[in-house]
Protein backbone atom coordinates (compact mmCIF):
# COMPACT_ATOMS: atom_id res chain seq x y z
CA UNK A 1 0.00 0.00 0.00
CA UNK A 2 2.83 2.39 0.77
CA UNK A 3 4.37 1.79 -2.64
CA UNK A 4 1.05 2.55 -4.35
CA UNK A 5 0.60 5.66 -2.20
CA UNK A 6 4.11 6.88 -3.02
CA UNK A 7 3.56 6.36 -6.73
CA UNK A 8 0.31 8.35 -6.57
CA UNK A 9 2.02 11.17 -4.68
CA UNK A 10 4.87 11.13 -7.18
CA UNK A 11 2.39 11.34 -10.05
CA UNK A 12 0.60 14.28 -8.42
CA UNK A 13 3.93 16.04 -7.85
CA UNK A 14 4.84 15.54 -11.48
CA UNK A 15 1.42 16.78 -12.56
CA UNK A 16 2.03 20.25 -11.10
CA UNK A 17 2.02 22.48 -14.23
CA UNK A 18 4.78 24.82 -13.13
CA UNK A 19 4.83 26.90 -16.29
CA UNK A 20 1.05 27.37 -16.31
CA UNK A 21 0.90 28.38 -12.65
CA UNK A 22 3.86 30.76 -12.81
CA UNK A 23 2.44 32.35 -15.94
CA UNK A 24 -1.06 32.82 -14.54
CA UNK A 25 -0.23 33.79 -10.96
CA UNK A 26 2.73 36.10 -11.58
CA UNK A 27 2.48 37.28 -15.18
CA UNK A 28 -1.24 37.00 -15.81
CA UNK A 29 -0.63 34.84 -18.90
CA UNK A 30 -1.55 31.30 -19.81
CA UNK A 31 1.57 30.20 -21.68
CA UNK A 32 -0.49 27.56 -23.45
CA UNK A 33 -2.01 30.42 -25.43
CA UNK A 34 1.37 31.63 -26.66
CA UNK A 35 4.45 30.30 -28.43
CA UNK A 36 4.22 26.58 -29.08
CA UNK A 37 1.26 26.20 -26.72
CA UNK A 38 3.25 23.82 -24.53
CA UNK A 39 3.29 24.19 -20.74
CA UNK A 40 6.94 23.20 -20.37
CA UNK A 41 10.17 24.96 -19.53
CA UNK A 42 11.21 26.05 -23.01
CA UNK A 43 7.92 27.70 -23.84
CA UNK A 44 8.11 29.48 -20.49
CA UNK A 45 11.51 30.88 -21.46
CA UNK A 46 10.05 31.99 -24.77
CA UNK A 47 6.84 33.58 -23.49
CA UNK A 48 7.77 34.85 -20.04
CA UNK A 49 11.54 35.32 -20.21
CA UNK A 50 14.69 33.98 -18.58
CA UNK A 51 13.68 34.52 -14.95
CA UNK A 52 10.37 32.68 -15.25
CA UNK A 53 11.97 30.02 -17.43
CA UNK A 54 14.67 29.37 -14.86
CA UNK A 55 12.11 29.14 -12.06
CA UNK A 56 10.03 26.65 -14.02
CA UNK A 57 13.11 24.62 -14.97
CA UNK A 58 14.10 24.34 -11.30
CA UNK A 59 10.53 23.49 -10.32
CA UNK A 60 10.30 20.73 -12.93
CA UNK A 61 13.60 19.27 -11.77
CA UNK A 62 12.50 19.54 -8.13
CA UNK A 63 9.33 17.55 -8.85
CA UNK A 64 11.43 14.59 -9.90
CA UNK A 65 13.82 15.00 -6.99
CA UNK A 66 11.08 15.11 -4.37
CA UNK A 67 9.34 12.11 -5.90
CA UNK A 68 12.54 10.07 -5.82
CA UNK A 69 13.00 10.99 -2.15
CA UNK A 70 9.63 9.54 -1.13
CA UNK A 71 10.98 6.03 -0.35
CA UNK A 72 13.35 7.64 2.14
CA UNK A 73 10.55 9.64 3.74
CA UNK A 74 8.21 6.61 3.91
CA UNK A 75 11.02 4.27 5.01
CA UNK A 76 10.27 1.82 2.21
CA UNK A 77 13.16 -0.21 0.73
CA UNK A 78 12.43 0.37 -2.94
CA UNK A 79 14.64 1.90 -5.59
CA UNK A 80 13.90 5.67 -5.74
CA UNK A 81 13.95 5.68 -9.53
CA UNK A 82 10.97 3.34 -9.63
CA UNK A 83 8.88 5.86 -7.68
CA UNK A 84 10.40 8.69 -9.70
CA UNK A 85 8.74 7.21 -12.78
CA UNK A 86 5.45 8.38 -11.29
CA UNK A 87 6.60 12.01 -11.41
CA UNK A 88 7.85 11.59 -14.97
CA UNK A 89 4.47 10.17 -15.96
CA UNK A 90 2.72 13.03 -14.18
CA UNK A 91 4.87 15.66 -15.86
CA UNK A 92 4.12 14.17 -19.27
CA UNK A 93 0.41 13.52 -18.69
CA UNK A 94 -0.56 15.92 -15.86
CA UNK A 95 -3.99 15.53 -14.32
CA UNK A 96 -3.96 19.25 -13.45
CA UNK A 97 -3.45 20.32 -17.08
CA UNK A 98 -5.78 18.12 -19.15
CA UNK A 99 -3.09 15.43 -19.42
CA UNK A 100 -1.04 17.62 -21.79
CA UNK A 101 2.42 18.18 -20.34
CA UNK A 102 6.08 18.40 -21.16
CA UNK A 103 8.51 15.90 -22.59
CA UNK A 104 9.96 14.58 -19.32
CA UNK A 105 13.58 15.70 -19.72
CA UNK A 106 13.81 18.09 -16.76
CA UNK A 107 11.80 15.90 -14.38
CA UNK A 108 13.83 12.82 -15.35
CA UNK A 109 16.96 14.81 -14.52
CA UNK A 110 15.45 15.59 -11.12
CA UNK A 111 14.90 11.91 -10.41
CA UNK A 112 18.52 11.17 -11.31
CA UNK A 113 19.68 14.05 -9.09
CA UNK A 114 18.07 12.41 -6.06
CA UNK A 115 19.27 8.94 -6.94
CA UNK A 116 22.87 9.56 -7.99
CA UNK A 117 24.10 13.19 -7.77
CA UNK A 118 27.57 12.56 -9.30
CA UNK A 119 26.04 10.76 -12.28
CA UNK A 120 23.51 13.59 -12.57
CA UNK A 121 26.34 16.12 -12.88
CA UNK A 122 28.05 13.92 -15.46
CA UNK A 123 24.80 13.67 -17.44
CA UNK A 124 24.21 17.43 -17.33
CA UNK A 125 27.72 17.99 -18.66
CA UNK A 126 26.99 15.71 -21.61
CA UNK A 127 23.78 17.60 -22.35
CA UNK A 128 25.43 21.02 -22.11
CA UNK A 129 28.27 20.02 -24.45
CA UNK A 130 25.78 18.66 -26.97
CA UNK A 131 23.63 21.78 -26.66
CA UNK A 132 26.61 23.99 -27.50
CA UNK A 133 27.47 21.76 -30.44
CA UNK A 134 23.97 21.35 -31.89
CA UNK A 135 22.15 24.38 -30.46
CA UNK A 136 19.01 22.24 -30.43
CA UNK A 137 17.48 21.16 -27.12
CA UNK A 138 15.59 18.33 -28.76
CA UNK A 139 18.59 16.82 -30.54
CA UNK A 140 20.80 17.29 -27.48
CA UNK A 141 18.24 15.43 -25.36
CA UNK A 142 17.90 12.55 -27.81
CA UNK A 143 21.66 12.12 -28.23
CA UNK A 144 22.55 12.52 -24.57
CA UNK A 145 20.06 9.91 -23.34
CA UNK A 146 21.61 6.93 -25.18
CA UNK A 147 25.05 8.13 -24.12
CA UNK A 148 23.91 8.35 -20.52
CA UNK A 149 22.35 4.89 -20.73
CA UNK A 150 25.57 3.41 -22.10
CA UNK A 151 27.59 5.22 -19.42
CA UNK A 152 25.37 3.73 -16.71
CA UNK A 153 26.62 0.27 -17.69
CA UNK A 154 29.99 1.13 -16.17
CA UNK A 155 28.34 1.84 -12.81
CA UNK A 156 27.00 -1.69 -12.56
CA UNK A 157 23.52 -0.54 -11.51
CA UNK A 158 21.10 -2.60 -13.58
CA UNK A 159 18.03 -0.74 -12.31
CA UNK A 160 19.52 2.60 -13.38
CA UNK A 161 20.47 1.17 -16.76
CA UNK A 162 17.05 -0.41 -17.30
CA UNK A 163 15.12 2.74 -16.38
CA UNK A 164 17.51 4.92 -18.39
CA UNK A 165 16.91 2.70 -21.41
CA UNK A 166 13.13 2.88 -20.97
CA UNK A 167 13.28 6.67 -20.59
CA UNK A 168 15.47 6.92 -23.69
CA UNK A 169 12.83 5.18 -25.78
CA UNK A 170 9.99 7.14 -24.18
CA UNK A 171 11.60 10.56 -24.54
CA UNK A 172 12.65 9.91 -28.13
CA UNK A 173 9.03 8.92 -28.82
CA UNK A 174 7.89 12.19 -27.23
CA UNK A 175 10.24 14.02 -29.60
CA UNK A 176 8.85 12.45 -32.77
CA UNK A 177 7.65 15.81 -34.13
CA UNK A 178 11.08 17.28 -33.43
CA UNK A 179 12.66 14.40 -35.35
CA UNK A 180 10.54 15.28 -38.39
CA UNK A 181 11.66 18.92 -38.21
CA UNK A 182 15.31 17.91 -37.79
CA UNK A 183 15.07 15.76 -40.93
CA UNK A 184 13.44 18.62 -42.80
CA UNK A 185 16.02 21.09 -41.56
CA UNK A 186 13.36 23.21 -39.87
CA UNK A 187 14.10 22.48 -36.23
CA UNK A 188 14.72 25.71 -34.34
CA UNK A 189 18.08 26.38 -32.76
CA UNK A 190 18.70 27.94 -29.38
CA UNK A 191 20.90 31.05 -29.40
CA UNK A 192 23.48 31.09 -26.61
CA UNK A 193 21.88 32.82 -23.63
CA UNK A 194 18.59 30.93 -24.07
CA UNK A 195 16.74 33.57 -26.04
CA UNK A 196 13.85 32.21 -28.09
CA UNK A 197 11.87 33.22 -31.10
CA UNK A 198 8.11 32.83 -31.20
CA UNK A 199 8.12 30.08 -33.79
CA UNK A 200 10.42 27.76 -31.88
CA UNK A 201 9.22 24.45 -30.50
CA UNK A 202 10.04 23.27 -27.04
CA UNK A 203 11.57 20.06 -25.81
CA UNK A 204 11.13 19.91 -22.05
Amino acid sequence: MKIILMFIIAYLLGSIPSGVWVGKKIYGKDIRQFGSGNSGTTNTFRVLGKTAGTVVLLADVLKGTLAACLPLLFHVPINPMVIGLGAILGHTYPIFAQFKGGKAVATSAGVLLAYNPPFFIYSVCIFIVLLFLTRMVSLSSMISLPLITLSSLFIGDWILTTIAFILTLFIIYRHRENIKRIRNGTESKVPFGLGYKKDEKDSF
Side-chain angles (χ1 to χ4, degrees), residues 6-144:
M6 285 189 296
F7 197 85
I8 293 173
I9 294 174
Y11 171 78
L12 294 176
L13 283 171
S15 290
I16 296 173
S18 310
V20 175
W21 288 3
V22 169
K24 285 185 174 181
K25 300 296 184 181
I26 300 178
Y27 295 85
K29 287 185 177 182
D30 185 343
I31 63 170
R32 294 171 296 183
Q33 304 301 319
F34 301 90
S36 69
N38 193 280
S39 62
T41 297
T42 310
N43 201 38
T44 304
F45 270 107
R46 180 190 309 115
V47 176
L48 304 179
K50 295 179 182 179
T51 300
T54 301
V55 170
V56 171
L57 172 62
L58 293 176
D60 287 347
V61 171
L62 183 60
K63 292 188 298 185
T65 302
L66 289 176
C69 288
L70 289 174
L72 179 63
L73 297 175
F74 278 79
H75 304 288
V76 176
I78 185 173
N79 191 291
M81 294 201 73
V82 174
I83 302 302
L85 288 174
I88 294 169
L89 185 65
H91 178 76
T92 309
Y93 304 106
I95 192 173
F96 302 130
Q98 295 76 52
F99 301 100
K100 296 179 180 179
K103 296 182 179 176
V105 177
T107 303
S108 296
V111 173
L112 182 59
L113 172 61
Y115 182 65
N116 192 326
F119 195 67
F120 164 81
I121 295 173
Y122 167 78
S123 301
V124 169
C125 289
I126 290 178
F127 176 80
I128 291 175
V129 170
L130 289 170
L131 184 59
F132 270 91
L133 291 175
T134 68
R135 295 179 60 196
M136 288 184 280
V137 176
S138 58
L139 184 58
S140 300
S141 299
M142 289 186 287
I143 295 176
S144 62

Side-chain angles (χ1 to χ4, degrees), residues 103 138 175-182 187 202:
K103 296 182 179 176
S138 58
H175 282 82
R176 57 194 183 279
E177 293 300 322
N178 300 84
I179 293 174
K180 292 179 182 178
R181 291 194 294 271
I182 291 172
E187 179 73 344
D202 57 347

